[in-house]
């Protein structure tokens, strides 16, 4: 149980275009979803926290207009990288929390974004 | 503010040998502690967690960790590693009452034949 699906697993796009990444909880309703960014050989940095039906809470230094997060339902959150540039190339990982299970987060397999 | 330190960036170990991956944290409030494993180009898989109760926590794949409050540590151990354990291991803390994780910088475990 507690499977989080992330799609696509890898995307290549041209500079200036927008890319949408989906994060779905397949067998549970996610009270909260999180979006992380991971640079090569580095740790995960939390970008934002999203709750269903409300605006995402962004971490300091993360541009909310660049990284649009929509949490339309209890099983789906999307991250849109707008007007992507090469410096946005990274590994993006989402996670989801089940209400009542405390602080346990279940992670998706990640999306590798390459901006040319 | 909370922080997590994983002192070893890389740990090479021979197959069937024991291994310990170190994790120390800093927090003035109570925290939950986690160990996750990441295989190449994949997301994170929960190995084990400490929420409360017994300080010795057993996880999947034969791993265990011990919460030591006085030393603010949560070291991960396995008595006998396999080649398949080669991966990146992350320690994380989460403050009780919040849901955010703070991750350590990770330890790359390399199991040698």
């Amino acid at each position: 149980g507690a499977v989080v699906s992330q799609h696509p697993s890898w995307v290549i796009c041209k500079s200036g275009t927008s890319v949408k990444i989906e994060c779905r909880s397949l067998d549970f309703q996610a009270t909260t979803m999180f979006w992380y960014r991971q640079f090569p050989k580095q740790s995960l940095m939390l970008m934002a926290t999203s709750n269903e039906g409300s605006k995402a809470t962004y971490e300091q230094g993360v541009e909310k207009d660049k990284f649009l997060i929509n949490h339309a339902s209890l099983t789906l959150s999307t991250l849109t990288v707008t007007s992507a540039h090469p410096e946005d190339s990274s590994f993006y990982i989402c996670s989801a929390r089940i209400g009542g299970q405390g602080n346990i987060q279940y992670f998706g397999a990640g999306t590798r974004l390459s901006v040319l | 503010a909370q922080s997590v330190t994983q002192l070893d960036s890389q740990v090479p170990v021979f197959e069937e040998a024991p291994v310990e991956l170190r994790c120390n944290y800093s927090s003035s409030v109570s925290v939950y502690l986690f160990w996750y494993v990441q295989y190449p180009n994949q997301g994170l898989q929960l190995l084990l967690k400490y929420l409360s109760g017994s300080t010795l926590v057993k996880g999947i794949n034969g791993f265990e960790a011990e919460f030591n409050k006085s030393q603010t540590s949560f070291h991960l151990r396995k008595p006998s590693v396999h080649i398949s354990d080669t991966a990146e291991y992350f320690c994380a803390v989460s403050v009780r009452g919040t849901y955010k994780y703070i991750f350590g910088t990770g330890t790359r475990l390399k199991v040698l034949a």
Side-chain angles (χ1 to χ4, degrees), chain B residues 6-113:
Chain B
Q6 291 183 248
L7 294 169
D8 306 301
S9 59
Q10 293 189 63
V11 173
V13 62
F14 285 104
E15 192 173 19
E16 296 184 8
V19 70
E20 178 179 82
L21 305 183
R22 296 181 292 172
C23 174
N24 288 86
Y25 69 94
S26 172
S27 177
S28 59
V29 297
S30 294
V31 296
Y32 299 120
L33 296 155
F34 306 85
W35 274 100
Y36 282 86
V37 59
Q38 184 181 35
Y39 298 101
N41 295 312
Q42 294 187 28
L44 277 66
Q45 181 182 4
L46 179 65
L47 273 179
L48 46 79
K49 60 188 180 293
Y50 172 77
L51 303 181
S52 64
S54 173
T55 57
L56 181 61
V57 180
K58 293 189 183 297
I60 63 172
N61 300 341
F63 284 93
E64 65 179 32
E66 185 157 18
F67 170 54
N68 188 318
K69 188 175 182 179
S70 62
Q71 296 187 4
T72 60
S73 67
F74 191 56
H75 300 333
L76 180 70
R77 294 190 289 260
K78 186 170 183 177
S80 176
V81 296
H82 301 290
I83 296 288
S84 59
D85 292 323
T86 295
E88 189 87 20
Y89 291 80
F90 290 97
C91 180
V93 301
S94 181
V95 173
R96 298 188 183 209
T98 77
Y99 303 114
K100 295 183 182 180
Y101 278 16
I102 299 167
F103 282 91
T105 50
T107 297
R108 185 171 299 274
L109 175 63
K110 175 72 172 177
V111 181
L112 309 170

Side-chain angles (χ1 to χ4, degrees), chain A residues 45-100:
Chain A
M45 300 300 296
L46 179 65
M47 298 174 66
T49 303
S50 74
N51 293 291
E52 183 262 342
S54 61
K55 290 184 178 181
T57 302
Y58 291 82
E59 294 300 299
Q60 192 172 8
V62 177
E63 299 176 61
K64 60 181 180 181
D65 294 330
K66 157 70 80 175
F67 300 101
L68 299 178
I69 293 172
N70 186 296
H71 196 153
S73 74
L74 283 171
T75 59
L76 174 65
S77 176
T78 60
L79 168 67
T80 301
V81 183
T82 62
S83 186
H85 292 288
E87 58 265 29
D88 299 323
S89 297
S90 192
F91 195 53
Y92 294 88
I93 304 176
C94 72
S95 70
R97 184 183 74 86
I98 301 175

